[in-house]
Amino acid sequence: MRTLNVYVDKNHQVKLMCLGHPLLEDPAPAAIGNYVAIIPEFNQDIYNKVQTFLEEINFHAMPTLILSLITEIIPTNCLKLISERAAVASL
């Protein structure tokens, strides 16, 4: 599993991406799901796909994507369909 933290500005432009493999999660009951150690990784293909997707749907926020779901389970053509539907819905 990989996690990708992304910052998208108010103009819907991706400004920052940080990809990594979660190594250790916080075991405290109130903090389950929070990573305390992540091994960084570089993957330009993932960066390009996610940036294109987020900018096409005019996303604005700071998503954390669990990439085992985004890039391995959901095929690229499905992401394109989601993007197209989001664009139509925003008209």
Side-chain angles (χ1 to χ4, degrees):
M1 177 173 60
R2 290 174 275 185
T3 182
L4 177 65
N5 294 303
V6 183
Y7 174 73
V8 184
D9 70 8
K10 65 182 178 182
N11 299 314
H12 314 288
Q13 299 297 308
V14 172
K15 295 297 183 183
L16 173 76
M17 289 188 185
C18 183
L19 177 66
H21 290 274
L23 183 63
L24 182 64
E25 285 190 33
D26 193 328
I32 291 177
N34 293 328
Y35 304 122
V36 294
I38 299 174
I39 298 173
E41 177 187 343
F42 179 83
N43 187 317
Q44 191 64 49
D45 185 48
I46 289 175
Y47 294 150
N48 292 342
K49 286 179 183 177
V50 171
Q51 179 176 0
T52 300
F53 174 69
L54 292 174
E55 289 178 354
E56 282 182 0
I57 65 170
N58 290 325
F59 191 85
H60 169 205
M62 192 166 178
T64 297
L65 307 173
I66 306 301
L67 292 182
S68 61
L69 299 176
I70 298 298
T71 60
E72 294 166 19
I73 295 174
I74 302 173
T76 304
N77 59 344
C78 289
L79 289 175
K80 186 172 192 245
L81 180 62
I82 292 168
S83 173
E84 289 168 357
R85 288 186 179 174
V88 169
S90 67
L91 295 177

